Amino acid sequence: MLAKDGLWDRIAVLVSGLCLVHCISTMVFVALLSSAAGALLDPIVHEIGIGIAIALGMFTLGRGVIDHGYVMPAAIGGLGLGIMAGAITIGHQGDHGSAEIIFTMVGVGILALGHDLNYRATH
C-alpha cells in the first residue's frame, strides 16, 4: 500500500534534497570555516550516504518497475546513483574538491528526476 501512494518516492526525493543541502553547506563551510567543515568532508559521511541512497533507490525505483512496469525511471535513477558513486572516487584533496561536489550535485539531480518520474508513473 505504501508503495502505491508514492510515500517512498517522496522520501527518496527528500533525501536527495538533503544531500544537495549537504553539498552546498559543505562548500559554504569550506569557504568560511575550513576547520568546521572537516567533519562534513570525512569520507565515511559520503560512503554511508551513497550506501543509503543506493539502498533507497533500489527499493523505491525497483518497486516502481514492479508496480507500473516502466523501466525508464529506474534507469534514470540508476544513472544518477552511478554519477554520485563515481564522484566519491574523485576525492576532495587538492583541486578535485569542486569536481566531486559538482558531479555529486548533478547525480543527485538526476536521481531526484528518476524518483519524480517513478512517482508520476505510479499516479
Side-chain angles (χ1 to χ4, degrees):
M1 179 178 161
L2 291 177
K4 293 203 185 291
D5 72 359
L7 173 66
W8 288 107
D9 281 309
R10 291 193 308 260
I11 290 171
V13 170
L14 173 68
V15 171
S16 295
L18 291 174
C19 180
L20 187 61
V21 168
H22 163 76
C23 291
I24 293 170
S25 67
T26 300
M27 286 190 318
V28 170
F29 281 137
V30 168
L32 298 176
L33 305 166
S34 61
S35 62
L40 292 174
L41 290 173
D42 190 350
I44 193 72
V45 171
H46 299 118
E47 292 164 6
I48 290 171
I50 192 68
I52 292 169
I54 289 171
L56 191 57
M58 284 175 47
F59 175 73
T60 59
L61 295 169
R63 184 68 191 187
V65 172
I66 292 169
D67 287 346
H68 53 65
Y70 298 117
V71 178
M72 186 179 66
I76 290 173
L79 174 64
L81 286 169
I83 292 171
M84 290 166 58
I88 288 178
T89 65
I90 296 172
H92 10 275
Q93 286 74 24
D95 296 333
H96 303 296
S98 58
E100 180 192 11
I101 292 169
I102 290 168
F103 279 111
T104 300
M105 290 178 7
V106 168
V108 166
I110 292 171
L111 176 60
L113 173 63
H115 283 296
D116 183 58
L117 291 172
N118 197 44
Y119 176 79
R120 290 171 189 253
T122 306
H123 293 89

